[in-house]
Amino acid sequence: MQEMAEEKKPRMPKVWEALLVLVFLIAMLSVGIIIYGVDPHIPLILGVAAAAVMAMVLGYKWNDIEHFMIKGIGKAMQSIIILVIIGILIGVWLDAGVVPSMIYYGLKILKPQIFFIAAMLICSITSLATGTSWGTMGTMGVALMGIGFGLGMNPGMTAGAIISGAYFGDKMSPLSDTTNLAPAMAGTDIMSHIKFMILPTLIVYGVCIVFYGFLGFSQYNGGVADVSKVVELEDKLTQMFNINPLLLLPPLIVIVAVALKVPAIPGIAIGIISGAVIGMIFQPGCSLGSIFECGMNGYSCDTGIYEIDRLLNTGGIMNMMFSVSMTIIAMMFGGIMEETHQLEVIVNKLKTLAKNPFGLVTLTEATCVISNAVMPEQYISLVVPGRMYAEEYKKKGLSATTLSNALESSGTVTSALIPWNTCGVFIISTLGISVTEYGPWTLFNWLMPIACIIMALFGITVADSNGKRFIKIKKSSLAKA
């Protein structure tokens, strides 16, 4: 009787059982996003339900499954907190005139003779300042497309420079949700993540600058550019805000904080405080009350100029709830899949293809690209591969930043190259150009994953558990792993 009373222990899942859950998730996301055009949250909830049902089939009780979900959410809690604080930061910086000043001075570097380089730099600065590639393409991108037409530039080339710049900022900005999500999935902090990405990303960015410089000088026909749209934006910004170089101090303070290895949360908090103080000094309409309001609900304006309104009506805690809720639901799914070993059995099959660090980075990036295609949502391409391979990187003695860099170098940037991905759909509808037209010229987006894999051979995008890149190690046993 005692033996009969003993509870049956949960068993390991079979590969087909784990794959069944993933296939169901992919199907729900594909139907929801592609066919019905809905946000990925509810389809992903259905994926959580499928993972939970499979967990019960494997012998787990509901209390265990609930614990797995909470444990999964807990792993992303730092990222969730940072997303909330970043929402406050964006709202405060907009109210204080910090972001408008960054955009204004970014526009000033636009010169017809170096149009493609300027387009990339403007979008890079805007995206770095706001943390959003979509907002950048929907504002600066639209204006720059018009200027490109006025110059007689190839629209595909113009869009390629715009998208490359926008995604550079999206990949590197501490304000970006993907820049926060990738390290959360990999198990590292945002500051370490950004620091590790700097070298490989700047190498690719430098190649892009040379490439777009050549395109600009070879394509520019010597005409006079119609910069009326940019002038209109500059004029409106100066009417709405007191533009001053001193307003660039808050972002500079955050950059210094990153360099000094200040933890993410206090570093961003310093940026919020400095922005609020300097805003109340320079902006007549900026008060403690408006800072509280913008920190909660974001900055709001109605200028009648579409580009300005779309760019500035953002920020605040509430505007971050989409990303926060997405992260929570995704980690519920990841928690169940990880704790019930459903991811483990899949990875065990896949990792036979990755016999060394180079192979693991390659496999990770390939999985991210496939995720962008079959689960057409940028966030999913970071969440699923991130949770699938996190343990494998640890077992091979690799740093979590190696994984987070691989996620960002593929999952974040390749989403723009897939027509049915939410990012591709946004670009097509916003810039009015197809993926086949801009794809070949979006150098940063397709070169970044390729370069990351190549650089893994030389140890530039691979580091050990201490964060030391292999290129500095004369002989590493990890290379034989």
Side-chain angles (χ1 to χ4, degrees):
M1 294 292 292
Q2 185 177 356
E3 292 180 0
M4 292 179 64
E6 288 182 1
E7 294 183 3
K8 186 178 179 181
K9 291 184 179 180
R11 64 175 176 83
M12 285 290 290
K14 298 176 182 178
V15 175
W16 71 264
E17 291 174 321
L19 286 175
L20 183 63
V21 174
L22 282 182
V23 169
F24 180 81
L25 173 65
I26 292 169
M28 290 299 99
L29 288 168
S30 300
V31 170
I33 295 172
I34 298 175
I35 297 178
Y36 294 107
V38 301
D39 292 325
H41 298 64
I42 301 303
L44 187 54
I45 280 284
L46 295 176
V48 174
V53 169
M54 182 59 71
M56 287 188 283
V57 170
L58 296 174
Y60 293 92
K61 292 186 176 181
W62 174 251
N63 287 339
D64 296 324
I65 297 170
E66 193 173 90
H67 174 70
F68 297 157
M69 290 190 287
I70 294 172
K71 187 176 180 180
I73 295 170
K75 292 180 178 179
M77 192 53 65
Q78 183 190 43
S79 178
I80 291 170
I81 294 171
I82 290 174
L83 283 172
V84 171
I85 296 177
I86 284 174
I88 299 172
L89 177 71
I90 295 173
V92 171
W93 277 13
L94 283 165
D95 188 42
V98 175
V99 171
S101 293
M102 294 178 73
I103 295 171
Y104 176 84
Y105 290 116
L107 288 171
K108 286 296 184 182
I109 68 175
L110 179 62
K111 300 295 180 184
Q113 294 82 356
I114 53 170
F115 175 74
F116 292 129
I117 290 181
M120 184 178 183
L121 290 175
I122 289 170
C123 290
S124 297
I125 293 170
T126 304
S127 190
L128 281 169
T130 61
T132 168
S133 57
W134 284 26
T136 298
M137 292 183 289
T139 53
M140 296 297 102
V142 172
L144 289 165
M145 284 296 291
I147 296 171
F149 280 115
L151 283 170
M153 298 290 191
N154 182 309
M157 296 178 183
T158 302
I162 291 168
I163 296 166
S164 292
Y167 272 85
F168 166 78
D170 193 357
K171 182 177 185 289
M172 296 300 295
S173 174
L175 308 182
S176 168
D177 46 10
T178 58
T179 309
N180 283 272
L181 186 59
M185 296 304 102
T188 186
D189 63 275
I190 184 174
M191 298 305 182
S192 299
H193 171 58
I194 292 176
K195 183 179 178 182
F196 189 80
M197 288 197 300
I198 289 175
L199 179 58
T201 304
L202 287 184
I203 290 173
V204 174
Y205 195 78
V207 173
C208 292
I209 289 291
V210 174
F211 175 76
Y212 289 121
F214 171 79
L215 278 184
F217 284 109
S218 63
Q219 293 292 318
Y220 180 62
N221 59 18
V224 179
D226 178 13
V227 295
S228 59
K229 200 67 176 178
V230 173
V231 172
E232 182 183 22
L233 294 177
E234 290 177 347
D235 290 343
K236 196 62 182 179
L237 287 173
T238 55
Q239 291 172 21
M240 296 174 63
F241 301 95
N242 180 12
I243 303 297
N244 191 295
L246 291 177
L247 289 166
L248 301 179
L249 280 176
L252 181 61
I253 289 172
V254 173
I255 292 172
V256 172
V258 172
L260 295 177
K261 299 182 179 179
V262 175
I265 294 174
I268 296 171
I270 292 171
I272 294 172
I273 295 170
S274 60
V277 171
I278 203 168
M280 288 189 285
I281 294 173
F282 283 95
Q283 307 302 333
C286 181
S287 63
L288 188 60
S290 69
I291 287 171
F292 287 164
E293 173 64 23
C294 292
M296 180 63 187
N297 297 309
Y299 185 81
S300 178
C301 64
D302 185 9
T303 65
I305 301 176
Y306 174 77
E307 290 80 10
I308 288 288
D309 292 341
R310 182 162 187 171
L311 183 64
L312 301 184
N313 283 294
T314 187
I317 293 175
M318 296 310 297
N319 280 311
M320 280 295 177
M321 286 302 104
F322 179 96
S323 298
V324 169
S325 58
M326 180 67 188
T327 302
I328 291 173
I329 298 169
M331 291 311 296
M332 289 166 60
F333 176 80
I336 296 173
M337 294 292 287
E338 186 173 6
E339 295 298 325
T340 60
H341 308 288
Q342 294 184 62
L343 283 180
E344 182 181 335
V345 295
I346 296 175
V347 171
N348 285 339
K349 284 292 182 181
L350 291 175
K351 73 180 183 181
T352 57
L353 303 173
K355 298 181 180 179
N356 53 47
F358 165 75
L360 188 55
V361 169
T362 303
L363 180 61
T364 302
E365 296 211 5
T367 306
C368 289
V369 175
I370 293 171
S371 296
N372 263 326
V374 299
M375 297 182 285
E377 168 58 47
Q378 187 185 56
Y379 295 131
I380 303 298
S381 69
L382 300 177
V383 172
V384 174
R387 298 319 307 161
M388 282 177 65
Y389 298 116
E391 273 306 312
E392 190 61 23
Y393 276 77
K394 288 182 182 178
K395 290 178 181 178
K396 287 190 178 294
L398 300 173
S399 69
T401 53
T402 303
L403 171 57
S404 64
N405 175 69
L407 295 175
E408 282 260 62
S409 297
S410 51
T412 296
V413 299
T414 60
S415 59
L417 303 177
I418 299 170
W420 55 87
N421 188 284
T422 52
C423 295
V425 171
F426 175 83
I427 294 170
I428 293 168
S429 60
T430 303
L431 300 185
I433 186 170
S434 68
V435 173
T436 54
E437 290 179 279
Y438 71 71
W441 309 107
T442 313
L443 185 64
F444 182 81
N445 296 66
W446 60 259
L447 182 59
M448 192 71 244
I450 295 173
C452 181
I453 292 172
I454 294 174
M455 284 187 273
L457 283 171
F458 300 95
I460 297 174
T461 55
V462 177
D464 62 18
S465 57
N466 295 318
K468 191 173 183 181
R469 297 180 196 266
F470 293 169
I471 195 171
K472 298 178 181 178
I473 302 175
K474 294 181 180 179
K475 186 176 182 180
S476 173
S477 60
L478 290 175
K480 302 176 182 178

